[in-house]
Amino acid sequence: IEIDILKHPIGRQDQYIAAYGNLRFITFSDAGIDVEKVDLPPEEKRRLNDALLCFYTGMTRKASEILEVQKANINDRLSVLGEIRKLAFLAKGAIMQGAFDELGEILHSGWELKKTLASKITNPQIDEKYEAARKAGAIGGKITGAGGGGFLLLYCPKEKQDAVRKTLKLRELPFRFESDGSKVIFNYRSGS
């Protein structure tokens, strides 16, 4: 509906991960879409989840405005997009090997690249918060979604998390990986 009917300039990854759930590696190509489950033992999945922090930046934006600029810039940013794609494969490898600090570094590299895709992906307030989090002990992170506001996801070793929380003074949103995708939790049917 968003893409085909409303013509929003968005990707499909959000819809796929919501439908499938769990940790997934999603590959988009001319041949189609491949959704691969990334299996981790429960204790490793918990260790990864515990190292990720999510904070609300307090900033809102129209994602479509950022994504329209990003889409218009695609031909000029193909090399950057290629680097981001390579990082996705490195991130998958780091996760599967349990090299989560390496994943934090990959997130940082990806964020540095993502910021070059469109001018409103970041702003001085986001940059300030991100750099403060890194100085307090976060290894890497990114603004989720299109950027420009919303949520700041950080990879941070457990022993540095309180320092990051204290430094950022943002509302934290605790979360857990969901092993299932979307499901109906209530189904009301009338008697007709």
Side-chain angles (χ1 to χ4, degrees):
I1 291 172
E2 283 181 296
I3 296 167
D4 297 331
I5 296 172
L6 298 176
K7 305 294 185 199
H8 287 207
I10 62 171
R12 299 175 187 269
Q13 64 277 3
D14 293 350
Q15 291 83 354
Y16 272 83
I17 196 59
Y20 283 93
N22 215 322
L23 290 174
R24 304 284 175 168
F25 190 75
I26 306 170
T27 309
F28 299 89
S29 69
D30 293 337
I33 300 166
D34 182 51
V35 181
E36 175 188 346
K37 185 176 180 182
V38 178
D39 272 326
L40 282 180
E43 63 278 358
E44 286 295 288
K45 188 187 285 187
R46 191 170 24 263
R47 188 169 71 91
L48 173 58
N49 206 143
D50 289 346
L52 294 170
L53 302 174
C54 186
F55 297 93
Y56 179 55
T57 64
M59 294 175 254
T60 59
R61 80 290 188 252
K62 282 195 167 191
S64 59
E65 292 175 4
I66 296 168
L67 293 170
E68 284 173 10
V69 173
Q70 188 173 317
K71 187 175 181 181
N73 291 342
I74 282 179
N75 288 333
D76 294 337
R77 306 293 197 285
L78 289 176
S79 64
V80 173
L81 291 168
E83 290 301 312
I84 291 171
R85 184 177 193 276
K86 287 178 191 174
L87 288 176
F89 284 91
L90 291 174
K92 174 187 169 190
I95 289 170
M96 293 178 74
Q97 295 169 12
F100 300 142
D101 285 358
E102 183 180 328
L103 174 66
E105 293 290 349
I106 294 167
L107 282 170
H108 175 68
S109 297
W111 174 239
E112 292 299 315
L113 289 168
K114 180 177 177 167
K115 292 188 299 185
T116 69
L117 296 176
S119 61
K120 292 184 179 179
I121 286 176
T122 192
N123 59 47
Q125 294 86 0
I126 291 171
D127 290 341
E128 180 183 312
K129 291 293 186 185
Y130 181 75
E131 287 309 315
R134 295 236 320 143
K135 285 180 184 163
I139 294 176
K142 65 180 295 263
I143 291 290
T144 63
F151 299 91
L152 176 61
L153 178 71
L154 297 168
Y155 174 86
C156 185
K158 203 102 170 119
E159 66 274 8
K160 304 283 186 173
Q161 290 180 1
D162 285 340
V164 169
R165 289 178 180 108
K166 185 177 177 182
T167 297
L168 291 182
K169 297 181 181 114
L170 294 173
R171 186 171 132 218
E172 184 176 358
L173 287 109
F175 69 95
R176 290 275 169 232
F177 295 131
E178 176 58 46
S179 51
D180 298 320
S182 300
K183 54 190 163 233
V184 175
I185 57 172
F186 180 76
N187 187 1
Y188 175 81
R189 294 181 186 221
S190 65
S192 56

